[in-house]
Amino acid sequence: MTNSTTNEPEPSDSLKTFGLIHKAFRKRAGLTQEEFAGLVRYHPSTVASIEQGRRFPTREYVERAEAVLDAFGVLRAAAKYATRDPGLASWFRKWADLEEQAISLYTYECRVLPGLLQTDAYARAVIWSVPQRPTDEQVEQRVAARFARQELLSTSRGRPTTFSFIVEQSVLERHTGGEDVTRGLIDHLLGLNDRHWNVEIQLMPLRQPVHAGLDGPMHLLETPENEWLAYAEGQKTGHLISDRQAISVLQQRYAKMRSQALTPDDTMSLLQQMRGAL
């Protein structure tokens, strides 16, 4: 199953509209963002991002907001039309929809750090590096879309997703965006490890004579019905894989890579060494 049309993001104001509605109800309740954040048990920065249209409101967030703000079902209805599509390549949108419901997500990357782990500065550096250079508006859309997806990492969701990331050490050694960007990126990864029990990060060392992932990046996903799907992406194309035999092969490769990569603890130690060397 393929989905490979244009990679231009479709412009949409749905997230901004939801944010404005949310802000109106919050102000109606006489609450600051900080006060409201405490009541819904989310970080104030998350509330601010949602009201600015930069983050996708999860179902759990919407339900908590409805209860706190007594919004008459308006937020729930508006959330149905909120979409993370702006800034996402067209071939990736189906996978992004599946990600939201997944109970497990496995990712191997050898090109760039996965979007779910990126910082703002790193995301912009990646986007600006690849010709043709997008407009400022397109950059903002793509960065906003990546940060909206990062809500999936939250441990406060009703059923937190379990994540496994295997990333080539060379991705960080490349210093995309410069040393300051890399320094901030490593700090972010170390912080993620401390804050998210559901996220496991492993670096594949620079020297690995036997490597099960030489065919390229891969994404594996487990649905709530315990079915597995896979996704592969190349230059301006994406491919959603549902064939069970093909998925079995990819699962075998991923399992082998987990044994070949550094352990999560050794990965954190290496990240600290790399951070100290910058």
Side-chain angles (χ1 to χ4, degrees), residues 24-56:
F25 273 102
R26 176 179 58 77
K27 287 194 170 183
R28 169 180 170 271
L31 297 170
T32 65
Q33 288 183 343
E34 290 75 15
E35 291 169 338
F36 176 76
L39 294 173
V40 294
R41 303 192 302 281
Y42 275 82
H43 196 276
S45 64
T46 299
V47 176
S49 294
I50 287 174
E51 291 193 348
Q52 293 164 7
R54 288 176 57 86
R55 286 205 175 189
F56 182 81

